[in-house]
């Protein structure tokens, strides 16, 4: 019999990721620092990777919660869909940024992994986005994606 993990140690990696995001947000908002530079493609790529990982985690949590607690499962599924929408917007913003300051042509906004600033890595933002999109389309209908675009009315 293994000892039960205390509640404060139950999700150390998730807590560490959240702490990292909070630290990054505070560093960007420091009043004594130089004005933050505009976001670059590398920054959005890392943020997209974080959102897709969170998307996978939320999908697993929703699947295990839905059978015993259907109402909570529906809310988690809605959060899952909205997280996908946020991930899609990050991907779109990535392609609106030039790959370098000299290149601001329309070709920079097209989805071509071979033109990424760091070259075509094993898993580019586009490949990651397409793989996650494939998963979301197996579990979510286009109507569901459109239905979850309103703000909370509470």
């Amino acid at each position: 019999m293994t000892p039960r993990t205390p509640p404060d140690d139950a999700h150390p990696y998730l807590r560490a990721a959240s702490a990292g995001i909070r630290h990054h947000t505070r560093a960007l908002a420091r009043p004594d620092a130089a004005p933050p530079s505009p976001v670059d493609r590398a920054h959005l790529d890392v943020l997209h990777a974080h959102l897709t990982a969170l998307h996978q985690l939320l999908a697993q949590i929703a699947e295990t919660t839905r059978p015993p607690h259907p109402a909570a499962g529906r809310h988690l599924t809605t959060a899952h869909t909205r997280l996908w929408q946020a991930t899609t917007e990050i991907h779109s913003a990535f392609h609106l940024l030039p790959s370098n300051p000299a290149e601001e042509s329309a070709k920079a906004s097209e989805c071509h992994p071979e033109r990424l600033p760091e070259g075509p890595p094993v898993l580019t933002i586009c490949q990651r986005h397409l793989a996650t999109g494939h998963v979301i389309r197996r579990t979510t209908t286009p109507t569901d994606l459109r239905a979850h675009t309103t703000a909370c009315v509470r």
Side-chain angles (χ1 to χ4, degrees):
M1 188 167 147
T2 60
R4 187 156 191 240
T5 306
D8 57 342
D9 289 332
H11 307 285
Y13 298 117
L14 190 56
R15 268 198 328 280
S18 297
I21 289 174
R22 282 192 305 273
H23 172 74
H24 184 71
T25 303
R26 274 186 295 227
L28 287 175
R30 281 191 359 216
D32 62 334
S37 60
V39 71
D40 60 358
R41 283 182 148 197
H43 193 149
L44 289 183
D45 186 28
V46 172
L47 184 57
H48 187 272
H50 183 79
L51 286 177
T52 54
L54 188 57
H55 186 267
Q56 290 173 336
L57 176 63
L58 194 52
Q60 290 173 345
I61 290 171
E63 282 299 312
T64 58
T65 303
R66 191 175 301 119
H69 308 286
R74 282 191 301 275
H75 283 283
L76 290 172
T77 299
T78 299
H80 179 255
T81 301
R82 288 183 178 158
L83 185 60
W84 167 248
Q85 291 167 337
T87 305
T88 298
E89 295 302 324
I90 295 292
H91 179 251
S92 297
F94 176 90
H95 287 294
L96 291 175
L97 293 176
S99 59
N100 63 41
E103 182 185 348
E104 295 184 3
S105 66
K107 291 182 181 180
S109 66
E110 296 174 7
C111 191
H112 294 284
E114 70 276 4
R115 293 189 204 159
L116 291 175
E118 62 279 354
V122 175
L123 184 63
T124 67
I125 187 172
C126 297
Q127 291 168 331
R128 185 184 324 115
H129 194 73
L130 289 172
T132 306
H134 178 72
V135 171
I136 192 88
R137 283 178 181 84
R138 282 189 289 158
T139 59
T140 310
T141 66
T143 304
D144 289 337
L145 289 173
R146 282 191 301 274
H148 297 298
T149 57
T150 59
C152 182
V153 292
R154 287 191 219 186

